[in-house]
Amino acid sequence: MAVVSAAPRAFPRRGDAPVGRHKIAAACLFRVPAAETAPTIAAVTEGLRRSGFVRSEVSGEVIVMRRGSFFGDAVLNGTGLALVTSRLGPLSKHAVVLVDAVPVGEQSEIVVSMIVGHELSPIVADAVDPVVDDLAARGAIVQGPGWMRPVDLPRESLGHPSTAKERGYIG
């Protein structure tokens, strides 16, 4: 009897995960080989930067990127402009994304978490998913649970909204 081995399943994209493509806050938790940590973090932050996020602070290995403001959210939602666009000149939907890497043996566990906002969730996914796809295409082993709600992250993770707030990453 021949043994047929199934090809390893590709790391799930956000659309394949329980959070789907809905505009709810999302977080991606995955592990990569330690040697891939710095280039992965750089690629994720660059993807977010191209999507209008700006790096607001770096504390150790933690990177916090912001886009928009509460004022922009209020104007866009209050006037109905949110139905037309999520970005209008200096106004933009508000979001804060935390990017962190924690060593775990010979791997690094990377979290990309929307700790504030939810409307821009698909934009965040569009910045993260191609990075993971590129890692897999180059043969790097990508493991972990993938996409979930930030509140479903382990409580000790800086990507968990309560922990991020306690540590001062959000007001």
Side-chain angles (χ1 to χ4, degrees):
M1 173 185 242
V3 176
V4 179
S5 65
R9 186 178 161 184
F11 191 81
R13 298 180 65 81
R14 182 159 180 265
D16 302 329
V19 293
R21 296 299 293 183
H22 306 291
K23 290 182 179 178
I24 60 173
C28 190
L29 181 64
F30 59 98
R31 288 181 302 283
V32 297
E36 296 290 345
T37 304
T40 300
I41 297 293
V44 167
T45 55
E46 176 59 21
L48 290 168
R49 188 199 59 74
R50 283 192 311 267
S51 298
F53 284 84
V54 294
R55 183 181 266 188
S56 67
E57 62 185 82
V58 178
S59 172
E61 295 295 317
V62 180
I63 299 169
V64 178
M65 300 192 71
R66 299 176 190 276
R67 177 174 160 175
S69 66
F70 288 116
F71 176 74
D73 255 357
V75 170
L76 289 172
N77 284 329
T79 61
L81 288 173
L83 297 174
V84 179
T85 182
S86 63
R87 184 172 176 86
L88 179 67
L91 299 178
S92 177
K93 294 288 193 174
H94 185 54
V96 177
V97 177
L98 183 137
V99 182
D100 186 28
V102 177
V104 178
E106 295 180 9
Q107 297 179 316
S108 287
E109 188 170 75
I110 297 176
V111 63
V112 180
S113 178
M114 291 188 71
I115 53 176
V116 172
H118 64 279
E119 289 283 334
L120 300 177
S121 197
I123 291 172
V124 172
D126 290 344
V128 175
D129 282 344
V131 173
V132 173
D133 291 346
D134 181 58
L135 284 165
R138 290 188 291 116
I141 297 172
V142 181
Q143 302 171 320
W147 288 100
M148 64 188 75
R149 299 176 312 158
V151 295
D152 294 333
L153 287 168
R155 182 66 166 82
E156 62 275 3
S157 171
L158 293 178
H160 191 285
S162 297
T163 306
K165 186 172 185 168
E166 290 168 2
R167 302 278 177 93
Y169 292 111
I170 54 178

